[in-house]
């Protein structure tokens, strides 16, 4: 969102076309709504780490404190500059205002990267030794730059831009279908696609890097992602299918011979460890992991396909393709990125089970002794469902509406008040 | 000075800044709930205008405290978040509802019934949250949270925060937050509106005094460690005298409409109260079993964190300075 807003504002500064200013202001409102929910959720998250996982934090807190501390500063900067951006249109010069927007973009991205670094540490722990159950010789920098850090943060950062690009493009495509002459939505769509298309190509590259990394560091997770039960040389890539954890088989899948060995280890006859090579109690929930992985890859591939198609059409026609069928395709693709992100998090978190810190601490040993956890669980789930509904409603109201419609609504409300 | 003392100092400073900035945001919510009379809407607008650009940055101080706690005093963090699961959960729900309701109110329909609904959420969450924070702080001070290195928390999920002492700390914090907000708002408004906030500031200051005595009264039975610390020797007595004089001075300044002086004195009062608490409780991070020195992580952790804090401050201080200069400077120049 901040990237969209910054692009729109710099176009406004360069061209002085008010449509860009309108867009920047709209997307700034979207950022404001999202950030408000994000900021309070950040507070919830940092407390819940302790409220739910006190034992995990007691040991891991010092090791992964560094990215969290830096994230704190990034968060500070993001909040400060967002305040200036949102409330400072009249108070600071246009250049300083744009600078504030760029700072929101940079610090927001940095803060996401820091948090994912901490998560990557749970997958590929580094920077400490365990002696008698205590974590000693802690090196916070080594923990922060753990082996999984680079691939995982790249993957998530790219995903964030690609998914928001597609979501925003899809919504403006829908509005353009309803309101085909709107310059506002055309420009909006153009900027959103300008982000969505290139990032949809970078995603699979980084996905391949991530998968190779998982193959080396977390073979059980890879096996679960692929629902791959038997250790094989020249393993096939499984597409779809339903893994049965009782019989330890996967049925109804499409298998591409040798492809898994090639993708994971770069050689057609490379050995890929199957789930049966590991104790049963070290298996993650295979069906969930496999299914989530399939969903993520399918969504990502579709996005790349649509990105390629639109890139091709735009290049051929030297202008933005706005045929109804293209717009409808984009509307259909609106949720794909967000689905892929959620599915991806499911893969990395569920696929790591039973561990909370891979190979070091089991999730069951990390949880709070607090009874009746179902109460806060229900409470927060309800709260966030409510917030989700309100956010969607408000985004429709203030961000994704044709300018003239917005005026009409406001007029109606004023009449209503009177 | 060893790292645990420096870090303890930084945490206390961050808590003080949080109270002075984030606390005032809560107070803004309380004043929103108290908005009455012909200028009720104007009062609400002034509050929203004052906290709009800055509240999100202000609340990151709390996140910083939590992060410092779990990175550098991990066992204390684990103990606090186990023993105080209930009040902290209430606080979190309050923080979520308060922040989102404030922003949603700004972007939702301006129709009065919609606005009223969000205002109700915003202001009631602004009242509940500081009470929950105060009760949690009171519990940490009470000495009722028992902890051993082998078993962790042994005093269950209700120790400390269910005492009358903790309740009074909660009310005290609520009154203090309201006082801060009202005094700040006096500086950002004029004429009748300024008078409205002045009356509220004086009211809040009196309640601060009453709840402070209530806190002290119950400390003797509910938080004996703090009571001993607060009454130990002549130097503490001098300290209390200074705190008392600042509090009375703040009321005096409000009566005489010296708002800049009132703000300085109210802020000083907050710092003195927090400092007094910290000194009375030192060397314990959670009395009576866990000291800062016991809980602190190894120097291989704390030294890099201190370096990161120093590095981060280099970026943070000018950014904050710029934020406040853009939004708060003009009002400062008024007499």
């Amino acid at each position: 969102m901040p990237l969209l807003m910054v692009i729109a504002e710099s176009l406004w500064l360069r061209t002085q076309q008010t449509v860009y200013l309108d867009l920047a202001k709209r997307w700034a409102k979207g950022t404001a709504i999202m950030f408000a929910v994000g900021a309070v959720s950040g507070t919830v998250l940092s407390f819940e780490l302790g409220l739910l996982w006190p034992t995990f934090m007691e040991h891991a807190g010092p090791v992964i404190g560094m990215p969290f501390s830096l994230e704190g500063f990034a968060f500070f900067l993001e909040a400060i500059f967002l305040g200036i951006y949102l409330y400072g249109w009249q108070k600071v010069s246009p250049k300083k205002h744009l600078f504030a927007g760029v700072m929101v973009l940079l610090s927001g991205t940095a803060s996401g990267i820091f948090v994912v670094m901490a998560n990557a540490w749970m997958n590929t722990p580094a920077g400490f030794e365990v002696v008698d159950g205590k974590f000693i010789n802690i090196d916070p920098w080594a923990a922060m730059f753990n082996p999984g850090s680079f691939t995982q943060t790249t993957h998530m950062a790219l995903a964030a831009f690609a998914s928001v690009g597609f979501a925003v493009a899809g919504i403006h495509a829908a509005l353009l279908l309803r309101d085909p002459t709107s310059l506002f939505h055309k420009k909006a769509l153009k900027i959103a696609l300008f982000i969505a298309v290139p990032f949809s190509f970078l995603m699979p590259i980084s996905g391949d890097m991530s998968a190779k990394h998982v193959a080396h560091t977390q073979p059980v997770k890879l096996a679960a992602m692929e629902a791959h039960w038997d250790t094989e040389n020249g393993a096939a890539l499984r597409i779809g299918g339903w893994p049965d954890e009782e019989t330890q088989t996967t049925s109804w899948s499409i298998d591409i011979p040798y492809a898994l060995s090639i993708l994971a280890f770069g050689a057609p006859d490379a050995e890929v460890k199957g789930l049966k090579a590991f104790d049963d109690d070290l298996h993650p929930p295979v069906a969930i992991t496999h299914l989530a992985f399939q969903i993520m890859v399918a969504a990502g591939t579709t996005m790349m396909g649509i990105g390629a198609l639109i890139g091709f059409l735009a290049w051929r026609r030297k202008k933005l393709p706005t045929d109804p069928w293209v717009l409808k395709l984009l509307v259909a693709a609106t949720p794909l990125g967000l689905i892929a992100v959620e599915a991806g998090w499911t893969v990395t978190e569920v696929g790591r089970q039973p561990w909370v810190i891979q190979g070091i601490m089991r999730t069951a040993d990390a949880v709070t002794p607090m009874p009746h956890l179902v109460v806060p669980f229900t409470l927060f789930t309800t709260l966030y469902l409510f917030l989700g509904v309100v956010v969607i409603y408000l985004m429709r109201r203030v961000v994704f509406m044709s300018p003239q419609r917005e005026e009409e609504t406001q007029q109606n409300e004023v009449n209503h008040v009177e | 000075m060893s790292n645990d003392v420096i870090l303890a100092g930084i945490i206390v400073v961050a808590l003080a800044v949080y109270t002075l900035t984030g606390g005032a945001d809560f107070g803004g919510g309380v004043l929103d709930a108290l908005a009455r009379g012909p200028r009720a809407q104007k009062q609400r607008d002034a509050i929203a205008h004052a906290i709009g650009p800055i509240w999100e940055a202000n609340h990151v101080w709390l996140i910083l405290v939590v992060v410092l706690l779990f990175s550098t005093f991990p066992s204390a963090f684990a103990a606090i978040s186990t023993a105080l699961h209930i009040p902290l959960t209430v606080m979190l729900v309050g923080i979520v509802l308060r922040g989102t309701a404030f922003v949603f109110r700004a972007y939702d329909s301006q129709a009065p019934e919609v606005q009223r609904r969000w205002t109700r959420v915003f202001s009631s969450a602004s009242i509940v949250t500081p009470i929950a924070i105060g009760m949690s702080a009171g519990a940490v001070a009470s000495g009722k949270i028992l902890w051993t290195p082998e078993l962790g928390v042994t005093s269950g999920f209700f120790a400390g925060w269910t005492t009358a002492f903790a309740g009074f700390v909660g009310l005290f914090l609520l009154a203090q937050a309201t006082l801060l907000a009202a005094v700040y708002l006096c500086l950002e408004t004029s004429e009748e509106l300024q008078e409205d906030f002045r009356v509220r500031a004086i009211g809040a200051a009196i309640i601060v005094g009453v709840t402070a005595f209530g806190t002290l009264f119950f400390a003797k039975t509910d938080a004996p460690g703090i009571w001993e610390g607060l009454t130990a020797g002549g130097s503490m007595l001098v300290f209390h005298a200074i705190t008392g004089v600042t509090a009375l001075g703040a009321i005096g300044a409000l009566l005489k409409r010296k708002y800049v002086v009132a703000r300085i004195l109210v802020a000083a009062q907050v710092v003195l109260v927090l400092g007094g608490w910290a000194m009375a409780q030192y060397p314990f991070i959670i009395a009576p079993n866990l000291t800062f020195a016991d809980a602190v992580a190894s120097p291989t952790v704390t030294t890099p964190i201190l370096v990161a804090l120093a590095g981060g401050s280099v970026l943070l201080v000018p950014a904050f300075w710029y934020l406040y200069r853009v939004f708060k400077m003009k009002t400062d120049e008024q007499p």
Side-chain angles (χ1 to χ4, degrees):
Chain A
M1 237 34 227
L3 179 59
L4 293 167
M5 138 193 132
V6 167
I7 293 179
E9 193 181 3
S10 40
L11 286 170
W12 147 246
L13 289 179
R14 195 173 313 154
T15 63
Q16 295 293 314
Q17 291 182 28
T18 47
V19 61
Y20 290 123
L21 181 62
D22 287 347
L23 265 180
K25 288 199 169 171
R26 287 297 192 80
W27 284 333
K29 285 179 187 169
T31 309
I33 294 170
M34 291 296 188
F35 187 75
V37 178
V40 294
S41 306
T43 319
V44 174
L45 186 131
S46 44
F47 273 97
E48 288 292 347
L49 284 172
L51 292 179
L52 297 177
W53 313 105
T55 316
F56 166 69
M57 287 312 286
E58 185 170 357
H59 293 90
V63 191
I64 53 172
M66 184 55 80
F68 277 108
S69 304
L70 297 176
E71 196 262 342
F73 282 102
F75 201 6
F76 259 131
L77 291 177
E78 189 181 1
I80 290 171
F81 284 103
L82 187 63
I84 294 171
Y85 193 89
L86 291 177
Y87 291 84
W89 288 98
Q90 314 296 335
K91 298 210 173 200
V92 297
S93 72
K95 272 206 182 131
K96 281 187 185 149
H97 191 261
L98 182 63
F99 171 77
V102 173
M103 288 302 289
V104 172
L105 169 65
L106 292 180
S107 48
T109 310
S111 125
I113 287 177
F114 288 134
V115 174
V116 178
M117 279 176 146
N119 180 268
W121 176 83
M122 291 156 72
N123 290 323
T124 53
F128 65 102
E129 289 167 41
V130 185
V131 176
D132 298 335
K134 286 201 162 51
F135 289 25
I136 58 159
N137 292 332
I138 296 169
D139 178 350
W141 298 112
M144 185 165 142
F145 295 101
N146 61 75
S149 247
F150 178 71
T151 48
Q152 209 181 319
T153 54
T154 321
H155 197 56
M156 183 59 225
L158 295 176
F161 289 108
S163 57
V164 173
F166 268 98
V168 173
I171 294 168
H172 284 288
L175 293 165
L176 205 52
L177 279 170
R178 208 187 299 165
D179 210 351
T181 54
S182 167
L183 182 69
F184 179 82
H185 293 308
K186 258 183 212 162
K187 299 281 185 196
L189 182 63
K190 200 170 184 179
I191 298 174
L193 285 176
F194 183 73
I195 297 173
V197 171
F199 279 104
S200 72
F201 278 90
L202 294 172
M203 268 326 281
I205 301 174
S206 117
D208 177 57
M209 277 165 58
S210 296
K212 285 193 166 65
H213 188 78
V214 169
H216 284 100
T217 55
Q218 295 172 284
V220 197
K221 189 189 266 184
L222 181 84
M225 279 153 64
E226 285 295 327
H228 178 66
W229 297 99
D230 299 291
T231 303
E232 287 171 340
N233 293 316
L237 182 72
R238 258 198 195 98
I239 297 173
W242 184 257
D244 186 332
E245 287 169 45
E246 291 286 303
T247 59
Q248 307 208 330
T249 51
T250 303
S251 33
W252 306 305
S253 64
I254 303 164
D255 295 359
I256 304 175
Y258 303 107
L260 181 59
S261 289
I262 297 173
L263 280 175
F265 298 101
D269 56 351
E271 182 191 83
V272 180
K273 283 229 161 69
L275 283 160
K276 287 179 189 165
F278 306 93
D279 287 342
D280 281 0
D281 73 332
L282 295 180
H283 289 185
V286 180
I288 300 176
T289 314
H290 178 65
L291 195 68
F293 183 64
Q294 300 301 310
I295 292 174
M296 177 183 78
V297 172
T301 315
T302 314
M303 283 158 72
M304 183 173 69
I306 296 176
L309 181 72
I310 288 177
F312 175 73
L313 288 176
W315 170 72
R316 274 275 301 270
R317 303 184 190 170
K318 303 269 186 272
K319 72 181 206 52
L320 183 74
T322 49
D323 320 47
W325 68 270
V326 175
L327 295 180
K328 280 179 190 153
L329 194 63
L330 280 171
V331 174
T334 310
L336 284 184
L338 304 172
I339 292 172
V341 168
E342 291 306 322
W345 277 109
T346 309
V347 172
T348 195
E349 291 304 295
V350 177
R352 192 183 56 240
Q353 302 308 319
W355 303 104
V356 63
I357 310 171
Q358 179 73 41
I360 309 275
M361 185 189 281
R362 282 173 187 257
T363 312
D365 299 330
V367 76
T368 178
M370 182 81 200
H372 309 300
L373 279 178
V374 66
V375 177
F377 177 76
T378 320
L379 184 71
F380 279 102
T381 311
T382 322
L383 183 62
Y384 271 83
L385 280 175
F386 165 71
L387 291 183
V389 172
V390 179
V391 164
I392 291 172
Y393 164 74
L394 286 179
M395 291 302 256
R396 272 193 62 157
R397 196 190 139 76
V398 299
V399 187
F400 301 111
M401 201 187 259
S402 299
Q404 63 270 33
R405 271 172 208 273
E406 189 184 15
E407 275 162 30
E408 283 163 23
T409 326
Q410 278 169 359
Q411 202 55 47
N412 286 340
E413 270 160 18
V414 171
N415 296 340
H416 190 67
V417 174
E418 282 162 1
Chain B
M1 230 188 317
S2 56
N3 282 354
D4 62 305
V5 182
I6 302 173
L7 282 162
I10 294 174
I11 289 176
V12 173
V13 170
L15 276 176
V17 181
Y18 179 59
T19 315
L20 290 174
T21 57
D25 292 344
F26 288 122
V30 179
L31 290 172
D32 197 309
L34 294 174
R36 288 280 183 287
R39 289 177 297 279
Q41 192 52 46
K42 276 195 180 155
Q43 292 170 9
R44 293 214 166 96
D45 291 344
I47 295 162
H49 179 79
I51 64 183
I54 53 170
W55 73 270
E56 280 162 327
N58 290 346
H59 284 272
V60 185
W61 289 105
L62 183 62
I63 298 182
L64 185 71
V65 169
V66 171
V67 169
L68 280 180
L69 210 54
F70 76 60
S71 327
T72 58
F73 299 103
S75 45
F77 176 71
I80 289 171
S81 46
T82 307
L84 300 178
H85 190 112
I86 299 166
L88 290 178
T89 303
V90 172
M91 174 200 77
L92 288 177
V93 174
I95 287 178
V96 170
L97 283 176
R98 180 180 178 285
T100 49
F102 179 70
V103 173
F104 292 168
R105 184 176 68 172
Y107 290 108
D108 203 342
S109 158
Q110 298 302 305
E113 69 274 11
V114 178
Q115 289 287 304
R116 205 158 29 221
R117 216 172 300 143
W118 286 128
T119 295
R120 209 170 295 146
V121 177
F122 168 63
S123 51
S124 44
S126 297
I127 295 170
V128 172
T129 313
I131 294 180
I133 297 178
M135 287 173 94
S136 308
V140 171
S142 71
K144 305 270 191 246
I145 298 176
L146 304 177
W147 180 91
T148 66
E150 297 79 25
L151 300 171
V153 176
T154 56
S155 51
F157 304 106
F158 295 95
W161 63 275
T162 47
T163 58
F165 168 73
F168 264 97
V169 176
L171 293 175
F172 173 73
L173 185 64
L174 181 70
Q176 188 69 260
T178 313
L179 173 60
L180 281 168
V183 171
Y184 294 172
L185 282 161
C186 283
L187 280 156
E188 297 195 16
T189 50
S190 55
E191 295 165 16
E192 288 175 319
L193 212 51
Q194 192 175 39
E195 282 301 302
D196 289 347
F197 288 124
R198 174 173 162 263
V199 172
R200 284 161 175 73
I202 295 170
I206 293 167
I207 300 174
V208 166
V210 173
T211 48
F213 277 105
T215 309
L216 264 183
F217 178 78
F218 285 105
K220 199 169 179 184
T221 46
D222 289 346
I226 288 287
W227 172 256
E228 269 170 38
L230 287 175
T231 50
S235 61
M236 270 327 260
L237 229 71
V238 175
F239 189 84
H240 291 314
I242 298 173
T243 315
V245 169
T246 21
L248 290 174
I251 296 180
L254 282 168
L255 287 172
K256 294 201 152 188
R257 298 192 172 77
K258 303 270 186 219
Y259 297 118
V260 176
V261 179
R263 176 163 70 174
I264 294 169
L265 289 176
V266 168
Q269 187 189 333
V270 169
V271 174
L272 286 169
V273 169
L274 262 171
W277 169 31
M279 283 197 293
Q281 190 173 319
Y282 193 81
F284 294 106
I285 186 164
I286 306 172
N289 301 124
L290 194 57
T291 64
F292 281 98
D294 291 337
V296 76
S298 72
T300 58
V301 174
T302 51
T303 307
I305 294 272
L306 284 171
V307 172
L309 285 177
S313 309
V314 173
L315 288 173
L316 190 63
V317 171
F320 254 116
W321 178 79
Y322 184 57
L323 177 74
Y324 280 90
R325 206 194 58 157
V326 169
F327 294 107
K328 300 287 163 193
M329 216 47 170
K330 255 187 209 139
T331 45
D332 282 357
E333 283 154 8
Q334 285 170 2

